[in-house]
mmCIF file of all heavy atoms in Angstrom:
data_model
loop_
_atom_site.group_PDB
_atom_site.id
_atom_site.type_symbol
_atom_site.label_atom_id
_atom_site.label_comp_id
_atom_site.label_asym_id
_atom_site.label_seq_id
_atom_site.Cartn_x
_atom_site.Cartn_y
_atom_site.Cartn_z
ATOM 1 N N ALA A 1961 9.245 12.295 -26.288
ATOM 2 C CA ALA A 1961 8.416 12.474 -25.085
ATOM 3 C C ALA A 1961 7.049 13.030 -25.446
ATOM 4 O O ALA A 1961 6.010 12.513 -25.015
ATOM 5 C CB ALA A 1961 9.115 13.387 -24.085
ATOM 6 N N PHE A 1962 7.035 14.072 -26.259
ATOM 7 C CA PHE A 1962 5.757 14.638 -26.687
ATOM 8 C C PHE A 1962 5.054 13.724 -27.676
ATOM 9 O O PHE A 1962 3.822 13.653 -27.706
ATOM 10 C CB PHE A 1962 5.976 16.023 -27.308
ATOM 11 C CG PHE A 1962 6.125 17.113 -26.298
ATOM 12 C CD1 PHE A 1962 7.362 17.673 -26.053
ATOM 13 C CD2 PHE A 1962 5.032 17.559 -25.564
ATOM 14 C CE1 PHE A 1962 7.507 18.679 -25.107
ATOM 15 C CE2 PHE A 1962 5.173 18.560 -24.619
ATOM 16 C CZ PHE A 1962 6.412 19.117 -24.387
ATOM 17 N N GLY A 1963 5.846 12.998 -28.492
ATOM 18 C CA GLY A 1963 5.243 12.114 -29.471
ATOM 19 C C GLY A 1963 4.509 10.951 -28.840
ATOM 20 O O GLY A 1963 3.559 10.416 -29.413
ATOM 21 N N TYR A 1964 4.937 10.547 -27.647
ATOM 22 C CA TYR A 1964 4.266 9.445 -26.972
ATOM 23 C C TYR A 1964 2.917 9.877 -26.400
ATOM 24 O O TYR A 1964 2.118 9.052 -25.986
ATOM 25 C CB TYR A 1964 5.178 8.885 -25.885
ATOM 26 C CG TYR A 1964 4.897 7.454 -25.524
ATOM 27 C CD1 TYR A 1964 4.985 6.437 -26.475
ATOM 28 C CD2 TYR A 1964 4.542 7.105 -24.233
ATOM 29 C CE1 TYR A 1964 4.730 5.122 -26.146
ATOM 30 C CE2 TYR A 1964 4.288 5.785 -23.887
ATOM 31 C CZ TYR A 1964 4.379 4.801 -24.852
ATOM 32 O OH TYR A 1964 4.128 3.507 -24.517
ATOM 33 N N GLY A 1965 2.699 11.191 -26.357
ATOM 34 C CA GLY A 1965 1.362 11.719 -26.096
ATOM 35 C C GLY A 1965 0.894 11.605 -24.668
ATOM 36 O O GLY A 1965 1.648 11.739 -23.716
ATOM 37 N N ILE A 1966 -0.379 11.324 -24.539
ATOM 38 C CA ILE A 1966 -1.066 11.379 -23.255
ATOM 39 C C ILE A 1966 -0.529 10.372 -22.267
ATOM 40 O O ILE A 1966 -0.594 10.580 -21.043
ATOM 41 C CB ILE A 1966 -2.587 11.182 -23.463
ATOM 42 C CG1 ILE A 1966 -3.359 11.557 -22.194
ATOM 43 C CG2 ILE A 1966 -2.876 9.749 -23.880
ATOM 44 C CD1 ILE A 1966 -3.282 13.003 -21.830
ATOM 45 N N GLU A 1967 0.018 9.236 -22.763
ATOM 46 C CA GLU A 1967 0.549 8.222 -21.862
ATOM 47 C C GLU A 1967 1.661 8.789 -20.991
ATOM 48 O O GLU A 1967 1.784 8.450 -19.810
ATOM 49 C CB GLU A 1967 1.076 7.023 -22.663
ATOM 50 C CG GLU A 1967 0.015 6.238 -23.395
ATOM 51 C CD GLU A 1967 -0.844 5.418 -22.445
ATOM 52 O OE1 GLU A 1967 -0.456 5.256 -21.275
ATOM 53 O OE2 GLU A 1967 -1.907 4.946 -22.877
ATOM 54 N N THR A 1968 2.489 9.671 -21.561
ATOM 55 C CA THR A 1968 3.592 10.259 -20.815
ATOM 56 C C THR A 1968 3.080 11.071 -19.640
ATOM 57 O O THR A 1968 3.527 10.904 -18.504
ATOM 58 C CB THR A 1968 4.427 11.161 -21.743
ATOM 59 O OG1 THR A 1968 4.907 10.384 -22.833
ATOM 60 C CG2 THR A 1968 5.585 11.775 -20.988
ATOM 61 N N TYR A 1969 2.119 11.947 -19.892
ATOM 62 C CA TYR A 1969 1.654 12.847 -18.836
ATOM 63 C C TYR A 1969 0.709 12.146 -17.869
ATOM 64 O O TYR A 1969 0.645 12.519 -16.696
ATOM 65 C CB TYR A 1969 1.002 14.067 -19.480
ATOM 66 C CG TYR A 1969 2.036 14.964 -20.100
ATOM 67 C CD1 TYR A 1969 2.358 14.845 -21.448
ATOM 68 C CD2 TYR A 1969 2.750 15.866 -19.329
ATOM 69 C CE1 TYR A 1969 3.340 15.631 -22.012
ATOM 70 C CE2 TYR A 1969 3.736 16.656 -19.889
ATOM 71 C CZ TYR A 1969 4.031 16.542 -21.224
ATOM 72 O OH TYR A 1969 5.008 17.315 -21.778
ATOM 73 N N ALA A 1970 0.002 11.133 -18.324
ATOM 74 C CA ALA A 1970 -0.839 10.369 -17.407
ATOM 75 C C ALA A 1970 0.030 9.672 -16.364
ATOM 76 O O ALA A 1970 -0.262 9.708 -15.158
ATOM 77 C CB ALA A 1970 -1.666 9.340 -18.180
ATOM 78 N N LEU A 1971 1.115 9.046 -16.800
ATOM 79 C CA LEU A 1971 2.023 8.383 -15.870
ATOM 80 C C LEU A 1971 2.661 9.388 -14.923
ATOM 81 O O LEU A 1971 2.753 9.151 -13.707
ATOM 82 C CB LEU A 1971 3.110 7.646 -16.662
ATOM 83 C CG LEU A 1971 4.162 6.909 -15.837
ATOM 84 C CD1 LEU A 1971 3.530 5.773 -15.055
ATOM 85 C CD2 LEU A 1971 5.270 6.376 -16.748
ATOM 86 N N PHE A 1972 3.080 10.516 -15.447
ATOM 87 C CA PHE A 1972 3.732 11.540 -14.630
ATOM 88 C C PHE A 1972 2.790 12.063 -13.546
ATOM 89 O O PHE A 1972 3.159 12.152 -12.366
ATOM 90 C CB PHE A 1972 4.192 12.692 -15.529
ATOM 91 C CG PHE A 1972 4.865 13.820 -14.788
ATOM 92 C CD1 PHE A 1972 6.146 13.675 -14.296
ATOM 93 C CD2 PHE A 1972 4.208 15.022 -14.583
ATOM 94 C CE1 PHE A 1972 6.773 14.712 -13.614
ATOM 95 C CE2 PHE A 1972 4.811 16.057 -13.905
ATOM 96 C CZ PHE A 1972 6.106 15.896 -13.428
#
Side-chain angles (χ1 to χ4, degrees):
F1962 279 106
Y1964 205 60
I1966 193 66
E1967 293 288 346
T1968 302
Y1969 287 94
L1971 179 65
F1972 179 74

